Amino acid sequence: MRDLNELVRANIKELEPYSSARNEYKAQALAFLDANENPYNSPYNRYPDPLQGKLKEKLAVLKGVGSSCIFLGNGSDEAIDLVFRIFCEPKVDNVVAIDPTYGMYEVCASVNDVEYRKVRLDDAFQFKAEDVLYASDRHTKVAFLCSPNNPTGNNLSSSEIKELLERFDGMVVLDEAYADFSSSASFLPCLSRYPNLVILQTFSKAWGCAGMRLGVAFASPSVIAYFNKVKYPYNVNALTQEKALEMLEDVGKVDEWVDILLRERERLMQRFAQLACCVKVYPTDANFFLAKVQDAGRVYNHLACNGVIVRNRSKVALCGECLRITVGTPVENDLLIKVLKNYV
């Protein structure tokens, strides 16, 4: 990769970050009179830890990485947006991403006025590192990959990901939001080998905490330092940090949920494949699957009219007449099948 100083925007390198009261003094105090807080309604009258120290320490042990390699944000979307703000000069630089994939990469590119280049997946929903490199030029700062991919559900080729990491001279963002449901290993053990790698994970999926809005980015300490430099001072609120610490005390419960969802995924996919409206169910390594049906719009409307909500992905590249279906509880999954058995 290019030297990090070459990749980071000049104004970000020169940026003097906001110095919060809680950053300036970390020791025990008898009275906090520095941050204009209300002295009543403890503990929520106090600003939260701006760098989420306790939470990062626990997460570091679970993930097997150093706490200096962890950034916590308001959902993974904050980390995605920060990638653009740190590395991409508006109207000058560009990023490359596989297509189809998670839509927020393109939205963040538009918000930051950065050109977004799409590299179409093949019929098996796979990519070639060579195609991403061909779409890149000297102004390409970032390549976005999502594995398991959304909305296709499949793992991307590990060998192609490694080839891209070794040959691409910018940052590679690998979104592993659904990795807990995958049969393939996370790239986290590779983090120290690839200084241009940023891995995104989340508490929204396997951890069942979408309402908390807590995303995680893993990268080299030097990259994480830029994330912390640019982020808003108190980006993760005290209630979210408190609940996340509580969740980390019961990892076994999350493992139990994942096991249940994986069993339900197989059962639901088998039953869905037998429906008269089903054309094809695609393989998946996520907590959802993509299915091609006869007249996706009509099937979607039938489900919605009966209180069952899925996503119609027909307008997404390579996903014509496809629905994306999240694996729910056994009762919810049975309701989906029951409603579609009554579809005419």
Side-chain angles (χ1 to χ4, degrees):
M1 64 176 283
R2 278 174 278 180
D3 186 89
L4 187 60
N5 284 326
E6 293 181 49
L7 292 172
V8 175
R9 292 169 58 188
N11 67 305
I12 298 299
K13 284 186 288 187
E14 297 167 4
L15 174 69
E16 188 68 35
Y18 178 80
S19 179
S20 69
R22 292 300 170 261
N23 263 338
E24 291 176 357
Y25 188 84
K26 297 181 182 296
Q28 284 293 111
L30 296 177
F32 280 113
L33 304 176
D34 58 338
N36 302 335
E37 299 155 322
N38 187 326
Y40 303 106
N41 195 37
S42 179
Y44 303 114
N45 60 324
R46 300 301 179 188
Y47 286 107
D49 177 358
L51 293 175
Q52 310 92 29
K54 290 181 180 178
L55 183 51
K56 285 180 180 176
E57 286 176 13
K58 282 189 174 293
L59 197 57
V61 173
L62 178 66
K63 297 293 184 177
V65 301
S67 57
S68 63
C69 295
I70 301 174
F71 168 81
L72 297 175
N74 184 7
S76 296
D77 294 341
E78 181 181 4
I80 293 167
D81 184 60
L82 286 176
V83 167
F84 283 94
R85 290 161 61 190
I86 293 166
F87 296 107
C88 299
E89 192 68 44
K91 297 183 182 297
V92 175
D93 293 325
N94 65 75
V95 303
V96 177
I98 58 173
D99 181 45
T101 194
Y102 180 44
M104 277 305 296
Y105 312 142
E106 186 170 8
V107 170
C108 284
S110 296
V111 168
N112 288 281
D113 204 5
V114 172
E115 181 188 357
Y116 185 83
R117 299 180 177 182
K118 299 180 181 181
V119 174
R120 185 66 54 86
L121 299 177
D122 62 24
D123 291 340
F125 300 142
Q126 287 295 338
F127 86 108
K128 293 289 186 185
E130 190 65 47
D131 294 338
V132 174
L133 295 168
Y134 183 78
S136 305
D137 60 24
R138 65 189 182 92
H139 291 295
T140 306
K141 292 291 190 69
V142 185
F144 283 94
L145 304 175
C146 184
S147 183
N149 191 27
N150 178 10
T152 59
N154 63 299
N155 286 313
L156 298 180
S157 165
S158 294
S159 61
E160 293 295 331
I161 294 173
K162 289 176 181 177
E163 181 177 348
L164 185 64
L165 285 165
E166 289 164 3
R167 296 179 58 193
F168 183 60
D169 66 0
M171 304 301 298
V172 176
V173 177
L174 178 59
D175 193 338
E176 293 188 341
Y178 303 96
D180 295 288
F181 305 101
S182 174
S183 58
S184 293
S186 166
F187 264 72
L188 270 181
C190 302
L191 201 61
S192 60
R193 194 185 320 162
Y194 299 112
N196 59 335
L197 175 61
V198 177
I199 296 175
L200 303 180
Q201 294 186 3
T202 180
F203 277 70
S204 294
K205 309 304 178 183
W207 290 81
C209 292
M212 273 177 22
R213 305 307 302 130
L214 184 60
V216 189
F218 301 93
S220 69
S222 53
V223 172
I224 294 299
Y226 277 111
F227 275 77
N228 290 331
K229 185 179 186 180
V230 176
K231 78 174 184 69
Y232 291 124
Y234 304 109
N235 61 322
V236 180
N237 69 71
L239 293 170
T240 293
Q241 293 187 46
E242 183 179 289
K243 182 61 180 179
L245 284 166
E246 180 185 319
M247 292 297 299
L248 287 169
E249 292 296 326
D250 195 6
V251 178
K253 175 60 71 175
V254 177
D255 293 337
E256 181 182 329
W257 290 339
V258 170
D259 288 342
I260 292 170
L261 288 169
L262 290 179
R263 290 196 300 270
E264 274 299 294
R265 184 181 74 187
E266 297 311 307
R267 184 179 77 92
L268 180 58
M269 290 173 67
Q270 289 174 9
R271 294 188 68 188
F272 197 96
Q274 296 168 0
L275 294 168
C277 64
C278 180
V279 176
K280 181 177 182 178
V281 173
Y282 292 92
T284 184
D285 270 278
N287 67 328
F288 63 85
F289 63 91
L290 194 69
K292 179 171 283 192
V293 297
Q294 298 172 5
D295 196 342
R298 189 163 175 262
V299 174
Y300 173 85
N301 289 333
H302 175 76
L303 286 167
C305 287
N306 285 274
V308 179
I309 311 303
V310 297
R311 290 297 298 272
N312 186 351
R313 301 283 77 189
S314 293
K315 294 182 180 180
V316 174
L318 302 178
C319 298
E321 301 300 340
C322 284
L323 302 177
R324 193 194 69 191
I325 299 165
T326 305
V327 179
T329 65
V331 172
E332 291 171 328
N333 299 334
D334 288 343
L335 177 60
L336 169 75
I337 298 300
K338 179 181 179 181
V339 170
L340 287 180
K341 280 186 175 179
N342 295 327
Y343 170 75
V344 178

